[in-house]
Amino acid sequence: MGKTNQSSVTEFVLLGLSGYPELEAIYFVLVLCMYLVILLGNGVIIIVSVCDTHLHTPMYFFLSNLSFLDICYTSSSIPLFLSSFLTSKKTISFSGCGVQMFLSFAMGATECVLLSMMAFDRYVAICNPLRYPIIMSKTSYVPMAAGSWIAGGVNSVLQTSLAMQLPFCGDNVINHFTCEILAVLKLACADISINIISMVIANMIFLVVPVLFIFVSYVFILSTILKIPSAEGKRKAFSTCSAHLTVVIIFYGTILFMYAKPKAKDSSGADKVQVTDKIISLFYGVVTPMLNPLIYSLRNKDVKEAVKNVLCRKCSSEGM
């Protein structure tokens, strides 16, 4: 036989939890409810950030970008994930897998950079408040957000193109919910060392560098807060960055737990680990985007007031 290439595989089978049918119904209901909360919560954040002029600030501009990103990220995989529970067909086309992989990479890398931009915004607001309007002007924060999207997109194009150019010679079963790149690379019948090297470099740029940037920013923020003489002043200063810090801990904490934990060596343990990995991946892909709008709005008076104002304007317009 001649050498086969990627044209021999036209679709992939997403294994998901097919080996655990008793869990599928439970996860279908849970994921559906969480996805609806994601759409509603992040949609509300975007609407109030656009409609309420009091929220036309760098922090809420970044937050609305983060909310839009979370909607895009979950919508790239959750609808297909839910439909797989309702039908025996659990496949995705080769091109569809590439699109899903691209969106996943792009949204993940963009979120890493966006979170670091938001940390810089909080650093300037607390450590250099008098110059905040100058440093974080519209001519600054709009290019910062746009640069985050462009950087994430460029990285995703590179990683996805390298992965989809590999030859896949028959085995098309992806042991995952989605076209997760590491699961896809395992199916390639060629050397993937270039892919691994490019991913390591990308992880250094989009994971390690933003984490260090956020860490240094919060070192300066904490140092400045501790110098504030009054307890009330310290509380107000910390409350302005507590939501962002919580999101950062959840986002990077989940990634660290996913990729830093030890792997099981025996086969029985490996099966349990694979199920655990899938559930953790589900948490990262669904629960984190669901929590973001809740974290930013539950204790945020500005967002609550903006929601009330938008609802009041809507009610008054309907009553006319």
Short mmCIF file of all heavy atoms in Angstrom, two decimals, residues 50-74:
data_model
loop_
_atom_site.label_atom_id
_atom_site.label_comp_id
_atom_site.label_asym_id
_atom_site.label_seq_id
_atom_site.Cartn_x
_atom_site.Cartn_y
_atom_site.Cartn_z
N VAL A 50 -22.11 47.93 27.42
CA VAL A 50 -22.30 48.75 26.23
C VAL A 50 -23.35 49.84 26.48
O VAL A 50 -23.16 51.00 26.08
CB VAL A 50 -22.73 47.88 25.03
CG1 VAL A 50 -23.12 48.74 23.84
CG2 VAL A 50 -21.60 46.93 24.64
N CYS A 51 -24.43 49.49 27.17
CA CYS A 51 -25.57 50.40 27.30
C CYS A 51 -25.41 51.43 28.42
O CYS A 51 -25.96 52.54 28.31
CB CYS A 51 -26.85 49.60 27.55
SG CYS A 51 -27.32 48.56 26.16
N ASP A 52 -24.71 51.10 29.48
CA ASP A 52 -24.57 52.02 30.60
C ASP A 52 -23.28 52.82 30.47
O ASP A 52 -22.18 52.26 30.50
CB ASP A 52 -24.58 51.25 31.92
CG ASP A 52 -24.82 52.15 33.12
OD1 ASP A 52 -24.01 53.07 33.33
OD2 ASP A 52 -25.82 51.95 33.85
N THR A 53 -23.40 54.13 30.35
CA THR A 53 -22.22 54.97 30.15
C THR A 53 -21.30 54.98 31.36
O THR A 53 -20.10 55.26 31.23
CB THR A 53 -22.66 56.42 29.85
OG1 THR A 53 -23.52 56.88 30.90
CG2 THR A 53 -23.40 56.49 28.52
N HIS A 54 -21.83 54.67 32.56
CA HIS A 54 -20.99 54.63 33.76
C HIS A 54 -19.97 53.49 33.70
O HIS A 54 -18.98 53.50 34.44
CB HIS A 54 -21.86 54.48 35.02
CG HIS A 54 -22.75 55.66 35.28
ND1 HIS A 54 -24.05 55.71 34.84
CD2 HIS A 54 -22.51 56.84 35.91
CE1 HIS A 54 -24.60 56.86 35.20
NE2 HIS A 54 -23.68 57.58 35.85
N LEU A 55 -20.25 52.51 32.85
CA LEU A 55 -19.36 51.36 32.73
C LEU A 55 -18.43 51.46 31.52
O LEU A 55 -17.78 50.49 31.16
CB LEU A 55 -20.17 50.05 32.64
CG LEU A 55 -21.07 49.74 33.83
CD1 LEU A 55 -21.70 48.36 33.66
CD2 LEU A 55 -20.32 49.81 35.14
N HIS A 56 -18.38 52.63 30.90
CA HIS A 56 -17.47 52.84 29.77
C HIS A 56 -16.07 53.17 30.30
O HIS A 56 -15.55 54.27 30.12
CB HIS A 56 -17.99 53.95 28.86
CG HIS A 56 -19.22 53.56 28.10
ND1 HIS A 56 -19.88 54.41 27.25
CD2 HIS A 56 -19.91 52.38 28.06
CE1 HIS A 56 -20.93 53.79 26.72
NE2 HIS A 56 -20.97 52.56 27.20
N THR A 57 -15.49 52.19 30.98
CA THR A 57 -14.16 52.32 31.57
C THR A 57 -13.30 51.17 31.09
O THR A 57 -13.82 50.15 30.59
CB THR A 57 -14.24 52.29 33.11
OG1 THR A 57 -14.74 51.01 33.53
CG2 THR A 57 -15.15 53.39 33.65
N PRO A 58 -11.98 51.28 31.21
CA PRO A 58 -11.10 50.19 30.76
C PRO A 58 -11.42 48.84 31.40
O PRO A 58 -11.44 47.82 30.71
CB PRO A 58 -9.70 50.67 31.18
CG PRO A 58 -9.81 52.15 31.19
CD PRO A 58 -11.20 52.46 31.65
N MET A 59 -11.71 48.82 32.71
CA MET A 59 -11.96 47.57 33.40
C MET A 59 -13.17 46.85 32.81
O MET A 59 -13.12 45.63 32.54
CB MET A 59 -12.19 47.80 34.89
CG MET A 59 -12.41 46.51 35.66
SD MET A 59 -12.59 46.74 37.44
CE MET A 59 -14.21 47.49 37.53
N TYR A 60 -14.26 47.57 32.57
CA TYR A 60 -15.46 46.93 32.04
C TYR A 60 -15.35 46.67 30.54
O TYR A 60 -16.03 45.78 30.02
CB TYR A 60 -16.70 47.79 32.37
CG TYR A 60 -17.00 47.78 33.84
CD1 TYR A 60 -16.73 48.88 34.64
CD2 TYR A 60 -17.52 46.64 34.45
CE1 TYR A 60 -16.97 48.85 36.00
CE2 TYR A 60 -17.77 46.61 35.81
CZ TYR A 60 -17.48 47.71 36.58
OH TYR A 60 -17.72 47.67 37.93
N PHE A 61 -14.50 47.42 29.85
CA PHE A 61 -14.22 47.09 28.46
C PHE A 61 -13.52 45.75 28.37
O PHE A 61 -13.88 44.89 27.55
CB PHE A 61 -13.37 48.19 27.82
CG PHE A 61 -13.01 47.93 26.38
CD1 PHE A 61 -13.94 48.10 25.37
CD2 PHE A 61 -11.73 47.49 26.04
CE1 PHE A 61 -13.60 47.86 24.04
CE2 PHE A 61 -11.39 47.24 24.72
CZ PHE A 61 -12.33 47.43 23.72
N PHE A 62 -12.50 45.55 29.21
CA PHE A 62 -11.81 44.26 29.25
C PHE A 62 -12.77 43.15 29.69
O PHE A 62 -12.72 42.03 29.17
CB PHE A 62 -10.63 44.32 30.21
CG PHE A 62 -9.46 45.11 29.70
CD1 PHE A 62 -8.85 46.08 30.49
CD2 PHE A 62 -8.94 44.90 28.43
CE1 PHE A 62 -7.77 46.81 30.02
CE2 PHE A 62 -7.86 45.62 27.94
CZ PHE A 62 -7.27 46.59 28.75
N LEU A 63 -13.63 43.46 30.66
CA LEU A 63 -14.57 42.46 31.17
C LEU A 63 -15.57 42.04 30.09
O LEU A 63 -15.89 40.85 29.97
CB LEU A 63 -15.31 43.02 32.39
CG LEU A 63 -16.35 42.10 33.04
CD1 LEU A 63 -15.71 40.78 33.45
CD2 LEU A 63 -16.98 42.79 34.25
N SER A 64 -16.06 42.99 29.30
CA SER A 64 -16.99 42.64 28.22
C SER A 64 -16.28 41.80 27.15
O SER A 64 -16.88 40.89 26.57
CB SER A 64 -17.58 43.91 27.59
OG SER A 64 -16.56 44.73 27.04
N ASN A 65 -14.99 42.08 26.91
CA ASN A 65 -14.20 41.24 26.00
C ASN A 65 -14.08 39.82 26.55
O ASN A 65 -14.18 38.84 25.80
CB ASN A 65 -12.82 41.84 25.79
CG ASN A 65 -12.75 42.84 24.67
OD1 ASN A 65 -12.38 42.52 23.55
ND2 ASN A 65 -13.13 44.07 24.97
N LEU A 66 -13.83 39.72 27.86
CA LEU A 66 -13.71 38.41 28.50
C LEU A 66 -15.02 37.64 28.41
O LEU A 66 -15.03 36.43 28.17
CB LEU A 66 -13.29 38.59 29.96
CG LEU A 66 -13.01 37.33 30.77
CD1 LEU A 66 -11.82 36.57 30.18
CD2 LEU A 66 -12.74 37.67 32.24
N SER A 67 -16.15 38.34 28.59
CA SER A 67 -17.46 37.70 28.51
C SER A 67 -17.75 37.20 27.09
O SER A 67 -18.24 36.09 26.89
CB SER A 67 -18.55 38.68 28.95
OG SER A 67 -18.43 39.00 30.32
N PHE A 68 -17.43 38.04 26.09
CA PHE A 68 -17.61 37.63 24.70
C PHE A 68 -16.73 36.43 24.38
O PHE A 68 -17.15 35.49 23.68
CB PHE A 68 -17.29 38.80 23.77
CG PHE A 68 -17.43 38.47 22.31
CD1 PHE A 68 -18.68 38.27 21.74
CD2 PHE A 68 -16.31 38.37 21.49
CE1 PHE A 68 -18.81 37.97 20.39
CE2 PHE A 68 -16.43 38.07 20.15
CZ PHE A 68 -17.68 37.87 19.59
N LEU A 69 -15.52 36.44 24.89
CA LEU A 69 -14.58 35.33 24.69
C LEU A 69 -15.14 34.04 25.28
O LEU A 69 -15.07 32.98 24.65
CB LEU A 69 -13.24 35.69 25.32
CG LEU A 69 -12.06 34.73 25.18
CD1 LEU A 69 -10.76 35.52 25.19
CD2 LEU A 69 -12.03 33.72 26.32
N ASP A 70 -15.70 34.13 26.49
CA ASP A 70 -16.25 32.93 27.14
C ASP A 70 -17.43 32.36 26.36
O ASP A 70 -17.59 31.13 26.26
CB ASP A 70 -16.68 33.26 28.57
CG ASP A 70 -15.51 33.39 29.52
OD1 ASP A 70 -14.44 32.83 29.21
OD2 ASP A 70 -15.64 34.04 30.57
N ILE A 71 -18.26 33.24 25.79
CA ILE A 71 -19.38 32.76 24.98
C ILE A 71 -18.87 32.05 23.73
O ILE A 71 -19.35 30.97 23.36
CB ILE A 71 -20.30 33.94 24.59
CG1 ILE A 71 -21.04 34.47 25.82
CG2 ILE A 71 -21.31 33.51 23.52
CD1 ILE A 71 -21.88 35.70 25.56
N CYS A 72 -17.88 32.64 23.07
CA CYS A 72 -17.31 32.03 21.86
C CYS A 72 -16.64 30.69 22.19
O CYS A 72 -16.81 29.71 21.44
CB CYS A 72 -16.29 32.97 21.22
SG CYS A 72 -16.99 34.47 20.53
N TYR A 73 -15.89 30.67 23.28
CA TYR A 73 -15.16 29.45 23.64
C TYR A 73 -16.11 28.28 23.92
O TYR A 73 -15.92 27.17 23.39
CB TYR A 73 -14.30 29.72 24.88
CG TYR A 73 -13.53 28.51 25.37
CD1 TYR A 73 -12.40 28.07 24.70
CD2 TYR A 73 -13.95 27.81 26.50
CE1 TYR A 73 -11.70 26.96 25.14
CE2 TYR A 73 -13.25 26.70 26.94
CZ TYR A 73 -12.13 26.28 26.26
OH TYR A 73 -11.45 25.17 26.70
N THR A 74 -17.13 28.52 24.72
CA THR A 74 -18.06 27.44 25.05
C THR A 74 -18.93 27.06 23.86
O THR A 74 -19.24 25.88 23.66
CB THR A 74 -18.95 27.83 26.24
OG1 THR A 74 -19.58 29.10 25.98
CG2 THR A 74 -18.14 27.96 27.51
#
